[in-house]
Amino acid sequence: EHSVKDVRYMQIVLIRAERAWAYAMDLKQFANTESRKQVHLISKLKKAVVYAAELESNCVTLKCDATTQLEAKAYHSYMTGMLLFEQGHWQNALLAFTAAQKIYNKLADA
């Protein structure tokens, strides 16, 4: 049975996702005037989604507690929603954001 012995292992993946997301948000202010910035923004959001998926997968594989697994799942859904929103896939973005909101509501009620 695997378990997390050092939380820094999980924090590295989280920080990578946050770093990619933050860079994308920084690029967003220039994306309307420079088309290349929009392409770079999407690329960074894709990386953020990959890292968020890795975080979610690690939570399951390493048998983190149920709350942590739900938080990682919600985070992954949120990042996916951000990517889909920026790509203009409105319906799929709404589904991803709704999934994240349901999980966060469940966690708030716990």
Side-chain angles (χ1 to χ4, degrees), residues 1 8-9 28 35 41 46 49 55 61 76 79 93 103:
E1 180 176 310
R8 292 180 292 181
Y9 176 77
K28 189 172 183 173
S35 62
L41 177 142
K46 284 179 181 177
V49 169
L55 180 68
T61 303
H76 182 218
M79 285 297 183
I103 296 169

Side-chain angles (χ1 to χ4, degrees), residues 30-94:
F30 303 109
N32 291 333
T33 57
E34 301 175 47
S35 62
R36 189 73 195 134
K37 298 285 185 187
Q38 179 68 23
V39 172
H40 199 53
L41 177 142
I42 297 296
S43 172
K44 287 297 176 182
L45 284 176
K46 284 179 181 177
K47 280 187 178 183
V49 169
V50 167
Y51 289 130
E54 182 181 344
L55 180 68
E56 182 182 5
S57 175
N58 288 348
C59 283
V60 173
T61 303
L62 299 173
K63 301 189 185 325
C64 294
D65 61 79
T67 301
T68 303
Q69 288 185 30
L70 280 174
E71 288 172 343
K73 185 178 179 91
Y75 184 74
H76 182 218
S77 293
Y78 175 77
M79 285 297 183
T80 300
M82 291 296 294
L83 173 62
L84 293 168
F85 181 84
E86 290 299 329
Q87 290 176 323
H89 302 297
W90 315 119
Q91 191 62 37
N92 291 334
L94 179 62

